[in-house]
Amino acid sequence: AYFALQVIYARRKYKVSPPETTGHPEFERIFRAHSGCVRGPLAHQDLAPLFPAGVAAVCGLLYLYTRFKYFQGYAVAAQGRLGPLYASARLLWLLLGLAVAGLLAHFLLPHSSTWTAALAWPRQLLGA
């Protein structure tokens, strides 16, 4: 909702009426930043049930924060989006890896205490 409101405010400020998507360069950056956040991967929502809630919550919050920083960086300059974009991609790869590990543990080794202990290290790192 925050990103959509920023587009609305930019439309008003730079007098760009819908459905136009071009106009003032600052409006175009804000519009593209919004589009990047809307179309960006949201895999953490689909993968979250596959690993511990604490890890999912922390990774999800970090992901949302990196998308917020992506939007802010892109709204100022196109190059400002790159750092947060790479950070959010790394978080998604982490989430995917945790999901695969959780699936493997569930289906292949459901009663293995060694495997469960190996998967518990992210919780130990996060202090859960």
Side-chain angles (χ1 to χ4, degrees):
Y2 170 80
F3 304 135
L5 287 173
Q6 296 307 307
V7 172
I8 291 169
Y9 298 146
R11 282 189 182 281
R12 290 178 185 159
K13 181 177 180 180
Y14 299 111
K15 297 175 179 39
V16 178
S17 298
E20 293 296 321
T21 58
T22 58
H24 194 278
E26 290 198 28
F27 165 76
E28 289 182 16
R29 277 197 310 272
I30 291 170
F31 184 81
R32 286 193 310 267
H34 171 261
S35 296
C37 288
V38 170
R39 290 186 312 233
L42 295 175
H44 70 282
Q45 293 173 344
D46 299 329
L47 300 176
L50 300 177
F51 40 87
V55 175
V58 169
C59 288
L61 288 173
L62 286 172
Y63 178 79
L64 290 174
Y65 177 74
T66 58
R67 297 311 287 179
F68 175 72
K69 296 305 285 181
Y70 166 89
F71 183 89
Q72 285 184 323
Y74 205 160
V76 173
Q79 292 298 317
R81 76 190 194 284
L82 295 178
L85 178 67
Y86 297 143
S88 66
R90 283 190 294 270
L91 280 167
L92 288 176
W93 279 110
L94 172 65
L95 289 168
L96 181 63
L98 290 171
V100 169
L103 286 170
L104 289 173
H106 178 74
F107 290 112
L108 298 178
L109 304 167
H111 301 292
S112 171
S113 60
T114 305
W115 184 253
T116 304
L119 289 176
W121 72 267
R123 279 192 267 170
Q124 293 170 350
L125 291 175
L126 295 172

